Amino acid sequence: MKKSQDDLLENQVIEIRLLIQAIYEKYGYDFRNYSQAHIKRRVINRLNLSGMANISDMIHEVLINHKFVDQLLMDLSINVTEMFRDPSFYKAVREQVVPVLKTYPFIKIWHAGCSSGEEVYSMAILLREEGLYNRTQIYATDFNPVIIKQAREGIYPINRMKEFTLNYQKAGGKSAFSDYYTANYESAKILDTFKKNIVFATHNLVTDSVFAEVHMVVCRNVLIYFDRNLQDKVVGLFSDSLTGGGVLCLGSKESMQFSGFNHNFESLVKNERIYIKKYHV
Amino acid sequence: MTPAKKYKAIVVGSSAGGLNALKTLIKNLGKNFSIPVIIVQHISADSENYLIHILNDLKCLKVKEADEKEQPQPGYAYVAPPNYHLLIESDQTFTFTVDERVNYARPSIDVLFETAAEAYRDQLIGIILTGANNDGSQGLKKVKELGGMAIVQDPETAEVDSMPRAAIQSCTVDHILSLEEIAAFLNTL
């Protein structure tokens, strides 16, 4: 291999580490234990779009330009999602988790890494259909304040409704999906009734701690971006937040098998990565 | 270093027509073929990963879905799960992301090839098979740039020829071969 290519790659590793360090020191957002391949892809992508010459230039821009930081935070937090994403997951929640939740007089749910809110509203709709929504409080959090604002608004492009409706049906929806939003020319707005029991707030899984005791934690497709140490720490955070018998829902490719907190949980729905916290841990 | 020890991984990208092509390729690999094979086949988001069952039934390589943080092992072929990009970390383990589709695809061949190229450098072989788009050609170019070997299925023999043709145009590939010839070549390594 050419020496220059090796050099270039080595320099990029150093520059990205310094960029991540700069974001951490200046703004407190900590990406130091994220998957490096993921961070690199997103940073190089932004570099190409920005027209800057190299990553070192991005470091200076991050320190002085708040708009650029916001942009980079959007790049580094993946906000690709959909309503009733992975319909089989929601079906499993309906069939196997709802019976557990029904035993509680009042239900508290923490949706961590909620992004633009689609999956939170999906859960609210499901709980409404199962007669549980009125006694449920959902805390929906994400580290990114811009995306939390979007989530709170609950407004999505109308052209996505067809896909969401299909997901809803596959997930075992009991009504017409169109009953749950009002359509405008370009957009669909989730009905306000689904917002009244949801609190949207910023919370950083990497740097913040437990803030409530809950009966269910939903955190899907967030851990895949973390290295093993950080995954372990965050699963510990979820374990501390959950009551005994509480439910933990991870993404369909996320597993607890490497986590030191593995023994705190047992599997409820294996394929859907739904776990129950043991009573005595 | 003997040639037998040189290559640590093979990445394979296929799209339309990929199922039959992958069957032929894997069926023709030797019983003791030991370089890990990592596959992105374009597949719809909600499909069960049926490809794994079909390839496993050939009783050649052990075929499984790639797991997060897993390290590829000799004697295995790994298939990217539907609706996730598969990336290779610098420590040569698997990572998934769910960010935007690349070339309309998730998993994308380019994403796998580009990250694998950086992780394995000159110890990587990239192979582009049949397909109806141009995913993989940027990735194959990167494999070449970082010292790896580029192999493309002969477009004349491909069920759909646009993906191999795009790959051949993107860089100077090392070999353009039929599926049987690709397998025979890999068996000599």
Side-chain angles (χ1 to χ4, degrees), chain B residues 21 24-25 125-130 149-159 164 168 173-189:
Chain B
T24 307
L25 179 68
I125 300 172
I127 305 177
I128 296 293
L129 305 178
T130 169
M149 178 185 286
I151 301 176
V152 178
Q153 182 181 7
D154 183 350
E156 300 293 328
T157 71
E159 211 168 307
I168 289 165
V173 304
D174 296 284
H175 302 284
I176 300 171
L177 302 167
S178 71
L179 295 165
E180 291 81 0
E181 289 166 337
I182 293 172
F185 172 75
L186 295 176
N187 284 332
T188 66
L189 296 177

Side-chain angles (χ1 to χ4, degrees), chain A residues 225-238:
Chain A
Y225 299 106
F226 297 169
D227 71 14
R228 266 194 199 172
N229 289 334
L230 186 53
Q231 283 182 347
D232 206 41
K233 182 186 149 185
V234 172
V235 171
L237 193 63
F238 294 154

Side-chain angles (χ1 to χ4, degrees), chain A residues 1 5-6 9 35-37 40-42 78 80 85 170 221 224-226 228 231 252-253, chain B residues 46 65 68-69 81 84 87-90 95-100 106 111 118 121 145-146:
Chain A
M1 179 180 10
Q5 288 283 358
D6 263 346
L9 291 177
S35 140
Q36 290 175 28
K40 178 163 187 181
R41 237 176 71 71
R42 304 303 290 183
I78 298 301
V80 178
R85 170 197 208 151
K170 284 186 198 160
N221 297 314
I224 49 173
Y225 299 106
F226 297 169
R228 266 194 199 172
Q231 283 182 347
S252 54
K253 299 302 162 202
Chain B
D46 59 353
E65 190 170 89
E68 195 220 355
K69 311 249 188 287
Y84 288 82
L87 291 71
I88 311 290
E89 289 286 339
S90 55
T95 288
F96 299 135
T97 80
V98 286
D99 56 337
E100 291 84 357
R106 188 175 53 227
V111 172
E118 294 198 0
R121 316 267 172 110
E145 280 170 9
L146 296 184

Side-chain angles (χ1 to χ4, degrees), chain A residues 31-202:
Chain A
F31 296 101
R32 293 175 301 173
N33 291 92
Y34 273 54
S35 140
Q36 290 175 28
H38 160 65
I39 293 283
K40 178 163 187 181
R41 237 176 71 71
R42 304 303 290 183
V43 168
I44 298 285
N45 211 6
R46 178 52 51 196
L47 174 65
N48 292 337
L49 291 171
S50 72
M52 284 178 233
N54 53 54
I55 300 166
S56 291
D57 287 356
M58 290 173 78
I59 298 173
H60 185 66
E61 197 66 17
V62 149
L63 295 174
I64 60 166
N65 181 349
H66 286 231
K67 279 204 174 118
F68 188 66
V69 179
D70 286 346
Q71 182 67 66
L72 211 49
L73 289 182
M74 286 306 259
D75 291 333
L76 296 177
S77 65
I78 298 301
N79 296 301
V80 178
T81 179
E82 53 198 70
M83 290 194 77
F84 293 96
R85 170 197 208 151
D86 302 330
S88 61
F89 164 72
Y90 287 92
K91 203 156 193 285
V93 169
R94 203 184 277 275
E95 289 166 0
Q96 298 184 67
V97 176
V98 162
V100 177
L101 297 179
K102 276 189 171 157
T103 63
Y104 298 115
F106 189 76
I107 303 157
K108 283 193 273 185
I109 297 175
W110 175 20
H111 194 130
C114 71
S115 189
S116 38
E118 287 90 333
E119 295 175 65
V120 185
Y121 291 120
S122 305
M123 190 63 77
I125 287 169
L126 186 156
L127 292 170
R128 158 70 84 80
E129 292 185 350
E130 297 299 327
L132 293 177
Y133 185 64
N134 285 334
R135 52 180 162 115
T136 299
Q137 173 70 59
I138 302 179
Y139 305 102
T141 63
D142 199 282
F143 80 82
N144 186 335
V146 179
I147 209 77
I148 276 292
K149 190 160 168 283
Q150 281 180 29
R152 203 174 280 131
E153 286 167 355
I155 298 172
Y156 305 109
I158 194 87
N159 62 14
R160 299 208 63 193
M161 289 302 131
K162 195 175 161 195
E163 172 198 1
F164 292 175
T165 302
L166 203 62
N167 280 353
Y168 167 77
Q169 288 163 349
K170 284 186 198 160
K174 293 180 169 174
S175 181
F177 186 62
S178 55
D179 291 350
Y180 299 131
Y181 63 87
T182 51
N184 221 317
Y185 294 103
E186 297 289 319
S187 59
K189 188 171 189 292
I190 302 295
L191 296 185
D192 284 339
T193 172
F194 292 107
K195 297 177 186 171
K196 71 176 172 30
N197 294 352
I198 305 175
V199 175
F200 288 100
T202 54

Side-chain angles (χ1 to χ4, degrees), chain B:
Chain B
M1 193 188 278
T2 62
K5 294 266 189 281
K6 179 172 178 185
Y7 293 102
K8 283 186 75 178
I10 297 171
V11 286
V12 180
S14 56
S15 186
L19 175 59
N20 286 331
L22 288 166
K23 274 165 74 177
T24 307
L25 179 68
I26 288 182
K27 204 165 55 191
N28 284 288
L29 289 175
K31 271 268 171 266
N32 299 315
F33 189 76
S34 67
I35 308 172
V37 178
I38 308 161
I39 300 167
V40 163
Q41 157 71 34
H42 290 161
I43 200 166
S44 73
D46 59 353
S47 79
E48 299 291 316
N49 216 337
Y50 63 90
L51 182 66
I52 290 168
H53 302 293
I54 294 171
L55 296 181
N56 241 331
D57 283 348
L58 300 174
K59 310 249 181 279
C60 300
L61 290 174
K62 293 183 215 80
V63 184
K64 69 181 291 290
E65 190 170 89
D67 272 321
E68 195 220 355
K69 311 249 188 287
E70 188 177 20
Q71 185 132 37
Q73 301 297 325
Y76 279 85
Y78 301 86
V79 179
N83 218 11
Y84 288 82
H85 290 304
L86 173 60
L87 291 71
I88 311 290
E89 289 286 339
S90 55
D91 65 359
Q92 302 176 352
T93 58
F94 296 136
T95 288
F96 299 135
T97 80
V98 286
D99 56 337
E100 291 84 357
R101 287 163 185 275
V102 175
N103 309 314
Y104 307 102
R106 188 175 53 227
S108 148
I109 301 166
D110 276 343
V111 172
L112 171 65
F113 278 38
E114 285 171 10
T115 54
E118 294 198 0
Y120 290 105
R121 316 267 172 110
D122 62 352
Q123 297 177 315
L124 181 72
I125 300 172
I127 305 177
I128 296 293
L129 305 178
T130 169
N133 51 45
N134 63 0
D135 192 19
S137 53
Q138 287 308 309
L140 195 68
K141 189 171 160 209
K142 182 111 185 186
V143 171
K144 276 300 289 181
E145 280 170 9
L146 296 184
M149 178 185 286
I151 301 176
V152 178
Q153 182 181 7
D154 183 350
E156 300 293 328
T157 71
E159 211 168 307
V160 184
D161 67 0
S162 35
M163 203 162 87
R165 285 195 197 283
I168 289 165
Q169 285 188 353
S170 72
C171 61
T172 315
V173 304
D174 296 284
H175 302 284
I176 300 171
L177 302 167
S178 71
L179 295 165
E180 291 81 0
E181 289 166 337
I182 293 172
F185 172 75
L186 295 176
N187 284 332
T188 66
L189 296 177

